[in-house]
Amino acid sequence: MKKFIALLLTLLLALSAAAPALAEKQTYRSLYSGEVTTLNYLTTTTTSEFGLLSNLIDTLVESDRYGQLQPCLAESWEASADGLTWTFRLRQGVQWVDAQGNAVAEVTAHDFVTAAEYILNAQHASGSAKTLYKIIVGAKEYYDGTATPKEGEQPAPKTEWDTVGVKALNDYTLQYTLKNPVAYFLSMVDNQAFMPVYGPFLAEKGEQFGLATGNDTLLYCGAYTLTEFKPQETRVLTKNSAYWDLEHVTIDQIVYRYNKEASTISADLYLKGEVDSASISAEIASQWLDDPVKSEYIRPDRPTSCYSYFFSFNYAPQFAAEYEPENWAKAVVNENFRKSFYYGLDRLKVKTAADADNAEALLFNSITPTDFLIINGEDYVKTGALKAITELGVGTYQTDKAIEYRDKAIEELTAAGVTFPIKVFMPYNASVNGWADECQIIEQQLEELLGKDYIDIIIEAYPSSGFLGSTRRSGNYAFMKCNWGPDYDDPETFSEPFAVGNNYNFIDKCEGMDEVRTELYSLFDQATAIYDDLTARYAAFAQAEAFIVDHAIVIPYGFSTGGYTASRIDPFTLPYTATGISKERFKGAVLLDQPMSTDQYYDAYDQWLSDLEALTANP
């Protein structure tokens, strides 16, 4: 223990010596352009909403700035010898508080049971339900028993809650019983599905719980409380004075101001000192880097494997008649048509819109990102059936193959009654830097290669607020850049955008993809059923993922990071993890007196890597 403490002190001193001076006043100011649609953390799974909610409600465990899981609401835990029962001993004295910081009740094991029961009630339509019912004993049966049957179907038998493997053994002991051993279970509990809720407050609020109308629809047990919430105006997060780990909450207040033009004006406001972070487009970054003064205000975005981006085809289009959804529906089920996009899309050229200097390093050919999962010292995406796909690199762009598949598609689609050019409706979020440029490159590049008599790509800007609801989730697109963030440390997490009930590509609702869908779901089922041999499990998921790519069900793209950012936050003080919601938290984050420059960033990054190596070598 003494050796460990001495090591930590050495690491902290080394980091502080390399970093710029800290700001005296720890108030972080930023702009936002997209409003949340709910504060109900028991139902939502939207990243933008958990950027807020993860700071207000704690989880059982959390990741630190080195990506190591640490105790949070749970002080300790243990698994049974067979891996089926996990017991968490909760931290005593943690308080639920209201928006003014007034104590309401203590957080207990019963609050986790209440939350799980709410999530597993199908009437609440929680996006977290599957996370629980696919692994916990009795959860799927309970969920099915609460669901409204489809027309013509018999309702599933109702089961009692006490048959579900989520129990409060006493006020401070929580137990989960799993269907099968889950090697990655601990990484799952840093997830919204394992957040608590205070039962009496939930009952009191009823349908008003978590409404995005004010800060009084929630209670708080996280590092911050939402002291001010005025939709499309302002959000203020204030350090929770009753927080159990107050000494590690270094930013006193986080102030967000709404502006629908945030991505456009934030850079200027940053230079004026009115905000502490700004969106930096590739064009602005290029200008600033050429300026000896402004170049000191920006640094590279930190590398991360949190989110995977891919271009998705919509197999159940619900867009406006003017974009000919019925014609698109006939075309998209044709594999040659999809492969003409797969081989015709110059992803490297598209990625330059985000980072002209480092575009190739940000691309990958799989759905699972590189460096997400290491197997016996080897990257998962470089194993099994994914190996050949990964080794293609930027070689997926092959114009001769694109033309070959186009010609085959034209012949087959003409026989199927498809009319040309096929309209390709492609919406984008107007508030996201670089997205408009990406769409314009795609339109110009694909139409030039494949021919305007073959496809007519139609791009349309949508506002940030409610963007996903008005586009992807409602099927209002034909071809669109989408992303997925992993929930736990296993490749199964990247199968979710293709699962039954998904609101990504709707392949489960497509009438013309029966054979492909059946084989894909069979591959997923085979992989999921393997839980006692991780090597075999990973190989099976690699085969399923390779099937997705080989049949061009989607087109992999790459990392979300790239380019430069302007921020007074030291990125190496933030929680760092590929999975869970800790990555959205400000706990531990430190504001610098001056922005970190590129040189300082790389010095700090090297120090962070060195510190991480020392920590993992001396656990």
Side-chain angles (χ1 to χ4, degrees), residues 60-101:
L60 289 165
V61 301
E62 61 185 355
S63 288
D64 64 16
R65 65 193 187 100
Y66 297 107
Q68 308 296 302
L69 283 175
Q70 302 292 344
C72 189
L73 291 179
E75 282 190 313
S76 64
W77 51 85
E78 61 187 27
S80 60
D82 60 7
L84 295 178
T85 303
W86 285 74
T87 305
F88 294 85
R89 291 174 177 80
L90 302 189
R91 191 178 304 278
Q92 298 186 27
V94 178
Q95 295 294 311
W96 288 109
V97 300
D98 62 19
Q100 291 72 45

Coordinates of all heavy atoms in Angstrom, one line a residue, residues 60-101:
L60 N -22.8 2.3 -9.9 CA -22.1 1.4 -8.9 C -20.6 1.5 -8.9 O -20.0 1.6 -7.9 CB -22.6 -0.1 -9.1 CG -24.0 -0.4 -8.7 CD1 -24.4 -1.7 -9.3 CD2 -24.2 -0.4 -7.2
V61 N -20.1 1.6 -10.2 CA -18.6 1.8 -10.3 C -18.4 2.9 -11.3 O -19.4 3.3 -12.0 CB -18.0 0.5 -10.8 CG1 -18.2 -0.7 -9.9 CG2 -18.4 0.1 -12.2
E62 N -17.2 3.4 -11.4 CA -16.9 4.4 -12.4 C -15.4 4.2 -12.9 O -14.6 3.6 -12.2 CB -17.1 5.8 -11.8 CG -16.2 6.1 -10.6 CD -16.5 7.4 -10.0 OE1 -17.4 8.2 -10.5 OE2 -15.9 7.8 -8.9
S63 N -15.1 4.8 -14.0 CA -13.8 4.7 -14.5 C -13.0 6.0 -14.1 O -13.6 7.1 -14.1 CB -13.8 4.6 -16.0 OG -14.2 3.3 -16.4
D64 N -11.7 5.8 -13.8 CA -10.9 7.0 -13.5 C -10.2 7.5 -14.8 O -10.5 7.0 -15.9 CB -9.9 6.7 -12.4 CG -8.9 5.6 -12.8 OD1 -8.8 5.3 -14.0 OD2 -8.2 5.1 -11.9
R65 N -9.3 8.4 -14.6 CA -8.7 9.0 -15.8 C -7.7 8.1 -16.5 O -7.2 8.4 -17.6 CB -8.0 10.4 -15.5 CG -6.8 10.2 -14.5 CD -6.5 11.6 -14.0 NE -5.2 11.6 -13.2 CZ -4.1 12.0 -13.7 NH1 -4.0 12.4 -15.0 NH2 -3.0 12.0 -13.0
Y66 N -7.5 7.0 -15.9 CA -6.6 6.0 -16.6 C -7.4 4.8 -17.1 O -6.9 3.8 -17.6 CB -5.6 5.4 -15.6 CG -4.6 6.5 -15.1 CD1 -4.7 7.0 -13.8 CD2 -3.6 7.0 -16.0 CE1 -3.8 8.0 -13.4 CE2 -2.8 8.0 -15.6 CZ -2.8 8.5 -14.3 OH -2.0 9.5 -13.9
G67 N -8.8 4.9 -17.1 CA -9.6 3.8 -17.6 C -9.7 2.7 -16.6 O -10.2 1.6 -17.1
Q68 N -9.4 2.9 -15.4 CA -9.5 1.8 -14.4 C -10.8 1.9 -13.6 O -11.1 3.0 -13.2 CB -8.3 1.9 -13.4 CG -6.9 2.0 -14.1 CD -6.6 0.7 -14.8 OE1 -6.5 -0.4 -14.3 NE2 -6.3 0.9 -16.1
L69 N -11.5 0.8 -13.5 CA -12.8 0.8 -12.8 C -12.5 1.0 -11.3 O -11.7 0.3 -10.7 CB -13.6 -0.5 -13.0 CG -14.3 -0.6 -14.3 CD1 -14.9 -2.0 -14.5 CD2 -15.4 0.5 -14.5
Q70 N -13.3 1.9 -10.7 CA -13.1 2.2 -9.3 C -14.5 2.1 -8.6 O -15.5 2.3 -9.2 CB -12.6 3.7 -9.1 CG -11.3 3.9 -9.8 CD -10.1 3.2 -9.2 OE1 -10.2 2.7 -8.1 NE2 -9.0 3.1 -9.9
P71 N -14.5 1.9 -7.3 CA -15.7 2.0 -6.5 C -16.4 3.3 -6.7 O -15.8 4.4 -6.7 CB -15.3 1.7 -5.1 CG -14.0 1.0 -5.2 CD -13.3 1.6 -6.4
C72 N -17.7 3.3 -6.7 CA -18.5 4.6 -6.8 C -19.6 4.4 -5.7 O -19.3 4.5 -4.5 CB -19.0 4.8 -8.2 SG -19.8 6.4 -8.4
L73 N -20.8 4.2 -6.1 CA -21.9 3.9 -5.1 C -21.7 2.6 -4.4 O -22.1 2.4 -3.3 CB -23.3 4.0 -5.8 CG -23.7 5.4 -6.2 CD1 -25.1 5.3 -6.9 CD2 -23.7 6.4 -5.1
A74 N -21.0 1.7 -5.1 CA -20.6 0.4 -4.4 C -19.2 0.6 -3.9 O -18.3 1.0 -4.6 CB -20.7 -0.7 -5.4
E75 N -19.0 0.2 -2.6 CA -17.6 0.2 -2.1 C -16.8 -1.0 -2.4 O -15.6 -0.9 -2.6 CB -17.7 0.4 -0.5 CG -18.0 1.7 -0.1 CD -17.9 1.9 1.5 OE1 -18.4 1.0 2.2 OE2 -17.3 2.8 1.9
S76 N -17.5 -2.1 -2.6 CA -16.9 -3.4 -2.9 C -17.9 -4.3 -3.5 O -19.1 -4.1 -3.5 CB -16.3 -4.0 -1.6 OG -17.3 -4.4 -0.7
W77 N -17.3 -5.4 -4.1 CA -18.2 -6.4 -4.8 C -17.5 -7.7 -4.9 O -16.2 -7.8 -4.7 CB -18.6 -5.9 -6.2 CG -17.4 -5.5 -7.0 CD1 -16.5 -6.2 -7.7 CD2 -16.9 -4.1 -7.1 NE1 -15.6 -5.5 -8.3 CE2 -15.7 -4.2 -7.9 CE3 -17.2 -2.9 -6.5 CZ2 -15.0 -3.0 -8.2 CZ3 -16.5 -1.8 -6.8 CH2 -15.4 -1.8 -7.7
E78 N -18.2 -8.7 -5.1 CA -17.6 -10.1 -5.3 C -18.6 -10.9 -6.2 O -19.8 -10.7 -6.2 CB -17.4 -10.8 -4.0 CG -18.7 -11.0 -3.2 CD -18.4 -11.5 -1.8 OE1 -17.3 -11.2 -1.2 OE2 -19.3 -12.2 -1.2
A79 N -18.0 -11.8 -6.9 CA -18.7 -12.8 -7.7 C -18.6 -14.2 -7.1 O -17.6 -14.5 -6.5 CB -18.2 -12.8 -9.1
S80 N -19.7 -14.9 -7.3 CA -19.7 -16.3 -6.8 C -18.7 -17.1 -7.7 O -18.3 -16.7 -8.8 CB -21.1 -16.9 -6.9 OG -21.6 -16.9 -8.2
A81 N -18.3 -18.3 -7.2 CA -17.4 -19.1 -7.9 C -17.8 -19.5 -9.3 O -17.0 -19.7 -10.2 CB -17.1 -20.4 -7.1
D82 N -19.1 -19.7 -9.5 CA -19.7 -20.0 -10.8 C -19.9 -18.8 -11.7 O -20.3 -19.0 -12.8 CB -20.9 -20.9 -10.7 CG -22.1 -20.2 -9.9 OD1 -21.9 -19.0 -9.6 OD2 -23.1 -20.8 -9.6
G83 N -19.7 -17.6 -11.1 CA -19.8 -16.4 -11.9 C -21.3 -16.0 -12.2 O -21.5 -15.0 -12.9
L84 N -22.2 -16.6 -11.5 CA -23.6 -16.3 -11.7 C -24.2 -15.3 -10.7 O -25.2 -14.6 -11.0 CB -24.5 -17.6 -11.6 CG -24.2 -18.6 -12.7 CD1 -25.0 -19.9 -12.4 CD2 -24.4 -18.1 -14.1
T85 N -23.6 -15.1 -9.6 CA -24.1 -14.2 -8.6 C -23.1 -13.1 -8.3 O -22.0 -13.4 -7.9 CB -24.5 -14.9 -7.3 OG1 -25.5 -16.0 -7.6 CG2 -25.2 -14.0 -6.3
W86 N -23.5 -11.8 -8.4 CA -22.7 -10.7 -8.1 C -23.3 -9.9 -6.9 O -24.5 -9.6 -7.0 CB -22.5 -9.8 -9.3 CG -21.6 -10.3 -10.4 CD1 -21.9 -11.4 -11.3 CD2 -20.3 -9.9 -10.7 NE1 -20.8 -11.6 -12.1 CE2 -19.8 -10.7 -11.7 CE3 -19.5 -8.9 -10.1 CZ2 -18.6 -10.6 -12.3 CZ3 -18.2 -8.8 -10.7 CH2 -17.8 -9.6 -11.7
T87 N -22.5 -9.7 -5.9 CA -23.0 -9.0 -4.7 C -22.2 -7.7 -4.5 O -21.0 -7.7 -4.5 CB -22.8 -9.9 -3.5 OG1 -23.5 -11.1 -3.7 CG2 -23.4 -9.2 -2.3
F88 N -22.9 -6.6 -4.5 CA -22.3 -5.3 -4.3 C -22.7 -4.7 -2.9 O -23.9 -4.7 -2.5 CB -22.9 -4.3 -5.4 CG -22.4 -4.7 -6.8 CD1 -23.1 -5.6 -7.5 CD2 -21.3 -4.1 -7.3 CE1 -22.8 -6.0 -8.8 CE2 -20.9 -4.4 -8.6 CZ -21.6 -5.4 -9.3
R89 N -21.7 -4.3 -2.2 CA -21.9 -3.6 -0.9 C -21.8 -2.1 -1.1 O -20.8 -1.6 -1.5 CB -20.8 -4.1 0.1 CG -21.1 -5.6 0.4 CD -20.0 -6.2 1.3 NE -20.4 -7.6 1.6 CZ -20.2 -8.7 0.8 NH1 -19.7 -8.5 -0.4 NH2 -20.6 -9.9 1.2
L90 N -22.9 -1.5 -0.8 CA -23.1 0.0 -1.1 C -22.4 0.8 0.0 O -22.3 0.5 1.1 CB -24.5 0.3 -1.2 CG -25.4 -0.4 -2.2 CD1 -26.7 0.2 -2.4 CD2 -24.6 -0.5 -3.6
R91 N -22.0 2.0 -0.5 CA -21.4 3.0 0.4 C -22.6 3.6 1.2 O -23.6 4.0 0.7 CB -20.9 4.1 -0.5 CG -20.0 5.2 0.2 CD -19.5 6.1 -0.9 NE -18.7 5.4 -1.9 CZ -17.5 5.1 -1.9 NH1 -16.8 5.3 -0.7 NH2 -16.9 4.5 -2.9
Q92 N -22.4 3.7 2.5 CA -23.4 4.2 3.4 C -23.3 5.7 3.5 O -22.2 6.3 3.4 CB -23.2 3.6 4.8 CG -23.4 2.1 4.8 CD -23.4 1.5 6.2 OE1 -23.8 2.1 7.2 NE2 -23.1 0.2 6.3
G93 N -24.4 6.3 3.7 CA -24.5 7.8 3.9 C -24.6 8.6 2.7 O -24.7 9.9 2.8
V94 N -24.7 8.0 1.5 CA -24.9 8.8 0.2 C -26.3 9.3 0.2 O -27.3 8.6 0.5 CB -24.6 7.9 -1.0 CG1 -24.9 8.7 -2.3 CG2 -23.2 7.3 -1.0
Q95 N -26.4 10.6 -0.1 CA -27.7 11.2 0.0 C -28.4 11.5 -1.4 O -27.7 11.9 -2.4 CB -27.6 12.5 0.7 CG -27.2 12.4 2.1 CD -28.2 11.7 3.0 OE1 -29.4 12.1 2.9 NE2 -27.8 10.7 3.8
W96 N -29.7 11.3 -1.5 CA -30.5 11.9 -2.5 C -30.8 13.3 -2.1 O -31.2 13.6 -1.0 CB -31.8 11.2 -2.7 CG -31.8 9.8 -3.3 CD1 -32.0 8.6 -2.7 CD2 -31.5 9.5 -4.7 NE1 -31.9 7.6 -3.6 CE2 -31.6 8.1 -4.8 CE3 -31.3 10.3 -5.8 CZ2 -31.4 7.5 -6.0 CZ3 -31.1 9.7 -7.0 CH2 -31.1 8.3 -7.1
V97 N -30.5 14.3 -3.0 CA -30.8 15.7 -2.7 C -31.7 16.3 -3.8 O -31.7 15.7 -4.9 CB -29.5 16.5 -2.6 CG1 -28.7 16.0 -1.4 CG2 -28.7 16.6 -3.9
D98 N -32.4 17.4 -3.5 CA -33.1 18.1 -4.5 C -32.2 19.1 -5.2 O -31.0 19.2 -4.9 CB -34.4 18.7 -3.9 CG -34.1 19.8 -2.9 OD1 -33.0 20.3 -2.8 OD2 -35.0 20.1 -2.1
A99 N -32.8 19.9 -6.1 CA -32.0 20.8 -6.9 C -31.4 21.9 -6.1 O -30.4 22.5 -6.5 CB -32.9 21.4 -8.0
Q100 N -31.9 22.1 -4.9 CA -31.3 23.1 -4.0 C -30.3 22.5 -3.1 O -29.7 23.2 -2.2 CB -32.4 23.8 -3.2 CG -33.4 24.7 -4.0 CD -34.3 24.0 -4.9 OE1 -34.9 23.0 -4.5 NE2 -34.4 24.4 -6.2
G101 N -30.1 21.2 -3.2 CA -29.1 20.6 -2.4 C -29.6 20.1 -1.0 O -28.8 19.6 -0.2

